[in-house]
Amino acid sequence: MFTYSVGADASPVRWLGLSADYIGTSLLNASRIETSTYTDFVGNNHENVNTFVSTVNQSNISAGAKIRPMARLLITGNVLFRLNDAGLHFKPSPLIGVSYTF
């Protein structure tokens, strides 16, 4: 497995931070399963499960923001999106965090 990422952060104003990240994973010689059908000599169709080995390249992108509405309060939000159909499929994954320093 080979994982790689690149990202950037920017603060357009003192109380706001924006971030974006690209996250990629290559799974070398990964076992995969796919369904298929085959037709027997009589002409009946049957479900079949095949396994094969291939390389899977997963691509995701993440976008987020950090907001500091008060001096000691920080609110963060981030969403992870998939860019291709490789590997497991998921809907956008949100993450929200609140931190306060005493």
Side-chain angles (χ1 to χ4, degrees):
M1 182 168 82
F2 180 67
T3 302
Y4 46 95
S5 61
V6 64
D9 291 322
S11 290
V13 291
R14 186 172 173 93
W15 53 269
L16 175 66
L18 303 174
S19 64
D21 298 297
Y22 173 81
I23 304 153
T25 304
S26 291
L27 304 170
L28 306 173
N29 298 324
S31 295
R32 299 180 68 182
I33 297 175
E34 72 176 3
T35 59
S36 64
T37 58
Y38 71 92
T39 305
D40 62 16
F41 67 94
V42 179
N44 297 325
N45 289 331
H46 301 278
E47 292 292 324
N48 193 16
V49 176
N50 295 325
T51 60
F52 62 97
V53 175
S54 69
T55 298
V56 177
N57 294 311
Q58 299 172 336
S59 295
N60 302 302
I61 192 164
S62 174
K66 299 175 189 174
I67 300 171
R68 190 173 44 122
M70 299 179 348
R72 296 182 180 202
L73 178 65
L74 182 65
I75 301 170
T76 60
N78 206 354
V79 180
L80 180 67
F81 301 94
R82 69 181 166 100
L83 295 178
N84 61 4
D85 289 332
L88 297 175
H89 300 281
F90 61 88
K91 296 179 181 177
S93 302
L95 173 69
I96 297 173
V98 177
S99 61
Y100 184 81
T101 304
F102 294 98

